Amino acid sequence: MTMGDERFQAEGAQWELSPLDSCHRQVVARLRSSCADLSEEEVAKLGVALFNCQASAEGRRTYPCTPEMVRGRRAPVPTP
C-alpha cells in the first residue's frame, strides 16, 4: 500500500459513511493508476463495481465481476 493509499484509508476512517459511500470508497481504493491509464476492460469493470454499489444499496440484483473475468467471454453452459 502506498502512502497515498494509506492517507485515503485513514481519511475515510474518520467519517461515518453510508453503506453506498463506503462501497464507493472501496472501489476507488482499488484503483492503482489514473483513469487515463485504465484499459477499456478496466473501465468496464469499474463501471460494474460502481453499479453494484448502487444496486446493493437499493436492494437490487448485483452482477459478478472479478479481475479474472474477461469481457466478451461467457462461462461455459453445462451440458445435461
Side-chain angles (χ1 to χ4, degrees):
M1 190 179 284
T2 69
M3 181 65 138
D5 294 336
E6 291 171 3
R7 263 197 338 251
F8 183 71
Q9 294 291 342
E11 188 175 306
Q14 42 184 315
W15 303 99
E16 192 171 317
L17 301 174
S18 72
L20 179 59
D21 289 336
S22 178
C23 183
H24 284 162
R25 274 186 71 351
Q26 291 173 10
V27 170
V28 171
R30 288 193 306 249
L31 291 175
R32 294 286 172 225
S33 61
S34 83
C35 291
D37 296 331
L38 295 175
S39 70
E40 189 174 321
E41 178 111 5
E42 291 168 320
V43 170
K45 289 177 181 176
L46 177 62
V48 172
L50 291 171
F51 171 82
N52 281 340
C53 289
Q54 184 70 41
S56 178
E58 295 173 358
R60 295 186 292 143
R61 177 181 174 196
T62 60
Y63 297 88
C65 184
T66 65
E68 298 78 28
M69 292 179 156
V70 177
R71 192 177 58 142
R73 245 189 244 164
R74 294 181 183 256
V77 177
T79 54

